[in-house]
């Protein structure tokens, strides 16, 4: 019975240690924060700013970059997009639907335009599109970078 007070002291310390460990574990789980979504296309959602538009004319590659051209694409959770391009003060807006499979992006405009495709790699989207301008067909390549929050 001599060791009862000492035993009680160690038992109390053990219980306090267990409580501290449980509290620490709870706090560490809570502080992990929100994990990134693994839903298909979740990394695509948001605003992407235009980096460049390039095309070939008379055998020469022409590249337009800001401020000569500006633009953005906004991808929303309902698989819709809004593409806005501003060249020489003229704003063109296109709306449509999108689909992402692996890194392959397909964009289908609401207007009677052909579907076009691109690739998504981390924070860059590159897509190609044939455009008829003044009875001439241009193979346009556009690059967009994800806007960071």
């Amino acid at each position: 019975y001599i060791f009862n007070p000492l035993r009680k002291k160690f038992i109390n310390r053990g219980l306090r240690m267990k409580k501290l460990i449980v509290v620490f574990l709870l706090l560490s789980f809570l502080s992990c924060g929100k994990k990134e979504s693994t839903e298909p296309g979740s990394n695509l959602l948001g605003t992407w700013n235009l980096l460049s538009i390039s095309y070939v004319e008379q055998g020469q590659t022409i590249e337009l970059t800001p401020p000569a051209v500006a633009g953005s694409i906004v991808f929303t959770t309902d698989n819709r997009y809004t593409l806005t391009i501003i060249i020489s003060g003229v704003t063109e807006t296109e709306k449509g639907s999108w689909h992402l499979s692996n890194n392959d992006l397909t964009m289908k405009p609401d207007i009677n335009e052909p579907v076009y495709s691109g690739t998504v790699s981390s924070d860059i989207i590159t897509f190609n599109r044939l455009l008829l301008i003044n009875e001439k067909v241009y193979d346009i390549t556009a690059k967009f970078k994800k806007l960071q929050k």
Side-chain angles (χ1 to χ4, degrees), residues 64-79:
L64 301 173
T65 58
V69 63
S72 65
I73 303 177
V74 178
F75 294 97
T76 57
T77 57
D78 58 352
N79 286 55

Side-chain angles (χ1 to χ4, degrees), residues 9-117:
K9 187 175 184 181
F10 281 115
I11 290 172
N12 285 341
R13 266 194 197 160
L15 288 174
R16 273 191 245 146
M17 248 339 220
K18 285 181 185 175
K19 286 180 185 176
L20 283 174
I21 290 171
V22 169
V23 168
F24 176 74
L25 288 173
L26 284 173
L27 287 176
S28 63
F29 283 123
L30 292 175
S31 67
C32 286
K34 182 179 167 185
K35 291 186 179 180
E36 283 196 29
S37 174
T38 56
E39 291 287 317
S42 63
N43 292 333
L44 187 66
L45 300 177
T47 302
W48 297 70
N49 287 333
L50 180 70
L51 290 177
S52 66
I53 293 178
S54 59
Y55 60 96
V56 176
E57 185 170 29
Q58 297 176 349
Q60 188 174 16
T61 300
I62 310 294
E63 183 175 49
L64 301 173
T65 58
V69 63
S72 65
I73 303 177
V74 178
F75 294 97
T76 57
T77 57
D78 58 352
N79 286 55
R80 302 286 301 158
Y81 73 88
T82 301
L83 168 65
T84 304
I85 302 288
I86 303 166
I87 299 177
S88 302
V90 177
T91 302
E92 294 288 333
T93 301
E94 173 185 287
K95 294 184 179 207
S97 58
W98 63 268
H99 175 75
L100 185 66
S101 177
N102 296 320
N103 292 331
D104 298 324
L105 174 64
T106 304
M107 297 171 63
K108 183 182 181 318
D110 289 342
I111 57 174
N112 193 18
E113 291 283 331
V115 172
Y116 53 102
S117 61

